[in-house]
Amino acid sequence: MYRGFTKMPHVQYIHTEASESLCGLKLEVNKYQYLLTGRVYDGKMYTGLCNFVERWDQLTLSQRKGLNYRYHLGCNCKIKSCYYLPCYVTSKNECLWTDMLSNFGYPGYQSKHYACIRQKGGYCSWYRGWAPPDKSIINATDP
């Protein structure tokens, strides 16, 4: 578990709708490990097809590095979805997500290989991880 310990320190069950037509998930329990996102409501954890759900072994190296080292650097950044052109960011704390243009959502190349993090001057931008980011700005290492 990466986040949510304050709201839900112990997760015993994950709730989802009964069928895929209601956005319910069908997971192969005890066969695969999963990265699940969702919400906590009334003391219960909920997830579904509208949340990010991926088998752990299907995540890219960039996504695993992002979870462990990078994504938290973008907590003050907002990802703005681009569904059709033209698209623009309207503030310095936004990253423009263009996977929707060619892939009809994730998992596109951008979401598989980049992280939206704060850079110099407080601007947010996509970071691939080739060169180490400016440590004086984001205080990070490139694992």
Side-chain angles (χ1 to χ4, degrees):
M1 193 158 141
Y2 283 93
R3 285 183 40 185
F5 291 108
T6 56
K7 287 186 178 184
M8 192 119 191
H10 304 286
V11 177
Q12 186 173 3
Y13 299 104
I14 298 172
H15 300 269
T16 190
E17 294 296 333
S19 68
E20 290 181 1
S21 65
L22 297 172
C23 294
L25 291 176
K26 298 226 183 297
L27 303 173
E28 295 181 73
V29 181
N30 297 323
K31 185 174 182 181
Y32 298 108
Q33 292 182 335
Y34 293 90
L35 172 65
L36 303 172
T37 63
R39 63 186 171 89
V40 175
Y41 178 74
D42 199 24
K44 297 177 183 174
M45 172 69 191
Y46 291 89
T47 192
L49 290 176
C50 293
N51 298 103
F52 185 80
V53 175
E54 188 67 71
R55 280 184 17 199
W56 187 259
D57 62 345
Q58 297 297 312
L59 293 173
T60 65
L61 179 60
S62 293
Q63 288 171 316
R64 286 181 288 205
K65 281 184 177 182
L67 287 164
N68 289 312
Y69 304 104
R70 295 188 185 123
Y71 294 157
H72 74 281
L73 300 172
C75 288
N76 293 320
C77 298
K78 294 182 181 180
I79 296 175
K80 185 174 183 180
S81 298
C82 177
Y83 298 100
Y84 51 87
L85 296 174
C87 302
Y88 306 99
V89 293
T90 55
S91 71
K92 68 180 189 175
N93 71 329
E94 292 180 342
C95 289
L96 192 60
W97 185 41
T98 58
D99 278 354
M100 301 296 277
L101 291 173
S102 59
N103 296 300
F104 306 105
Y106 64 86
Y109 192 82
Q110 200 174 24
S111 62
K112 285 185 171 185
H113 301 286
Y114 289 84
C116 176
I117 62 173
R118 187 171 300 278
Q119 301 286 346
K120 290 182 180 179
Y123 285 87
C124 295
S125 65
W126 295 106
Y127 173 68
R128 171 78 166 117
W130 293 110
D134 185 339
K135 292 179 179 74
S136 66
I137 301 299
I138 59 174
N139 192 21
T141 59
D142 186 34

